[in-house]
Amino acid sequence: MLTGPNETATLAVIGKQMFKIGEFSKLIQVPASALRYYDDIGLFKPLHTDSESGYRYYRTSQIPLINRIVALKELGLQLDQIRHILDQQLDEEAFRGMLLLKQAELEQKIKLDEMRLQLVAARLAHIDIESSSPPDNMEIRSLPRADYLCLDATVKNFNEAQSLIERLTICLSQSIAAKNLGRLTAILMQDCYEHEDLELRLGYTVEGVNMKTLPRLADLDLRLAELPPVNLAATLVHIGPPGETFVSRSAIASWVEQSEYEFLGSSREVFLSLPTPGKLTETAIELQYPLRPKAKP
């Protein structure tokens, strides 16, 4: 016989104690409605279903399985994907490794979503900002020639670019004396901006570097190139996340539009301070736009 409503809802079956669905759902903190649905689709079935009442009963030995299902669902997997994973009958170590991988992917997605929110906030803040006068820290000056130890890379987003920057910085700082290592400099090589698949030239200005004597740098495809001198450039130091430089770029564009100059070739981003996770708002980047006089009508 089943216990009354004021007693613990348990059932003895073949000498084993079981819990009614309501109590089991409280124990594992999973809605009873979800347990019923998982039963209906054959994903997680009760140990026993009473043929007359239809009541479902579970045992604590089933908790590891429902924990696996809930963990996978919370990581964003669809139920058919979860069924496929469970069918593989992974051991505990393999399953834990898979969860850690999925967790890392979810954390990466959260970071990207947070970046998008920051960009939206920056765009909203910039909507009503209009100024015909240049910012106080904008300068028009020449840029000297420099040796440029660089690589070409295609990255999907700023997070991927930041990982590459960190790797490049570590390798070069271990191989080149600090006095010979200049500023991190980035150049967008595309004619148009795209949110994904950014084609970048990324490297450091250097002095006195001989590629023949430079050790192989962790399989980075580096080459020694030249940053040519620029007779005239509009420069502006942007303080803030690298993904929000559009605010400063817009200020430069507004000034150039009303000036006697026009843009000439690719702009450069010179990092006066490197982007650091958790401190991106403190990043300092000098934006450099080569200029030439506008053609007379």
Side-chain angles (χ1 to χ4, degrees):
M1 297 294 294
L2 300 182
T3 58
N6 297 324
E7 303 175 39
T8 302
T10 61
L11 177 70
V13 177
I14 318 178
K16 300 294 185 180
Q17 193 176 46
M18 297 198 298
F19 300 90
K20 285 181 69 173
I21 189 171
E23 187 170 17
F24 190 68
S25 71
K26 292 178 182 178
L27 290 170
I28 61 174
Q29 299 287 282
V30 174
S33 58
L35 294 175
R36 294 189 187 97
Y37 182 65
Y38 295 162
D39 179 20
D40 291 342
I41 65 175
L43 181 64
F44 180 73
K45 302 191 74 64
L47 193 67
H48 173 74
T49 302
D50 187 271
S51 58
E52 295 184 4
S53 66
Y55 289 165
R56 298 169 172 86
Y57 296 90
Y58 301 83
R59 285 187 57 205
T60 56
S61 60
Q62 295 178 276
I63 291 178
L65 178 57
I66 190 62
N67 281 343
R68 289 191 174 202
I69 292 171
V70 172
L72 291 170
K73 190 172 185 297
E74 291 296 328
L75 287 172
L77 275 72
Q78 301 299 316
L79 294 181
D80 57 343
Q81 296 174 309
I82 294 174
R83 187 195 304 276
H84 176 70
I85 291 172
L86 295 179
D87 288 344
Q88 296 181 44
Q89 297 183 340
L90 300 175
D91 60 31
E92 183 177 346
E93 182 178 354
F95 188 78
R96 185 180 298 276
M98 185 195 66
L99 282 184
L100 289 173
L101 179 61
K102 291 294 182 182
Q103 181 183 21
E105 292 175 354
L106 184 59
E107 290 173 347
Q108 176 72 4
K109 182 180 182 300
I110 291 173
K111 288 182 180 178
L112 292 176
D113 288 342
E114 288 176 345
M115 283 183 58
R116 291 189 182 99
L117 285 173
Q118 291 173 359
L119 287 175
V120 169
R123 294 283 181 181
L124 288 174
H126 189 60
I127 285 176
D128 297 326
I129 298 177
E130 293 184 6
S131 176
S132 58
S133 59
D136 292 339
N137 62 343
M138 182 171 164
E139 294 183 3
I140 307 299
R141 60 183 174 85
S142 62
L143 304 176
R145 177 202 172 279
D147 288 333
Y148 185 42
L149 191 56
C150 62
L151 55 81
D152 292 334
T154 300
V155 297
K156 294 181 180 179
N157 49 57
F158 176 72
N159 277 356
E160 192 171 304
Q162 184 170 332
S163 297
L164 182 58
I165 287 172
E166 291 173 358
R167 185 179 171 208
L168 177 65
T169 300
I170 291 172
C171 288
L172 292 185
S173 62
Q174 292 175 345
S175 305
I176 299 175
K179 65 178 182 178
N180 294 330
L181 191 62
R183 301 285 190 185
L184 173 69
T185 301
I187 301 173
L188 181 64
M189 302 305 294
Q190 293 158 291
D191 292 333
C192 301
Y193 177 83
E194 299 292 344
H195 280 299
E196 296 184 354
D197 297 329
L198 294 175
E199 296 175 9
L200 298 178
R201 181 160 295 162
L202 196 64
Y204 275 82
T205 55
V206 293
E207 291 183 4
V209 170
N210 187 336
M211 290 296 291
K212 293 181 179 179
T213 61
L214 199 64
R216 186 171 180 80
L217 300 175
D219 296 323
L220 294 173
D221 189 17
L222 290 166
R223 60 190 180 86
L224 189 60
E226 177 192 55
L227 284 177
V230 174
N231 291 331
L232 208 60
T235 68
L236 177 61
V237 176
H238 168 84
I239 306 294
E244 297 179 14
T245 58
F246 66 87
V247 176
S248 298
R249 295 179 191 277
S250 297
I252 294 176
S254 294
W255 178 85
V256 168
E257 190 175 51
Q258 300 178 55
S259 75
E260 57 187 24
Y261 300 102
E262 62 185 6
F263 293 134
L264 173 65
S266 300
S267 64
R268 306 172 185 175
E269 296 184 11
V270 179
F271 287 76
L272 307 181
S273 65
L274 295 177
T276 303
K279 297 182 179 180
L280 293 181
T281 55
E282 300 175 11
T283 308
I285 306 171
E286 183 177 73
L287 305 175
Q288 301 178 344
Y289 277 84
L291 302 173
R292 67 181 176 190
K294 290 179 181 176
K296 294 182 179 181

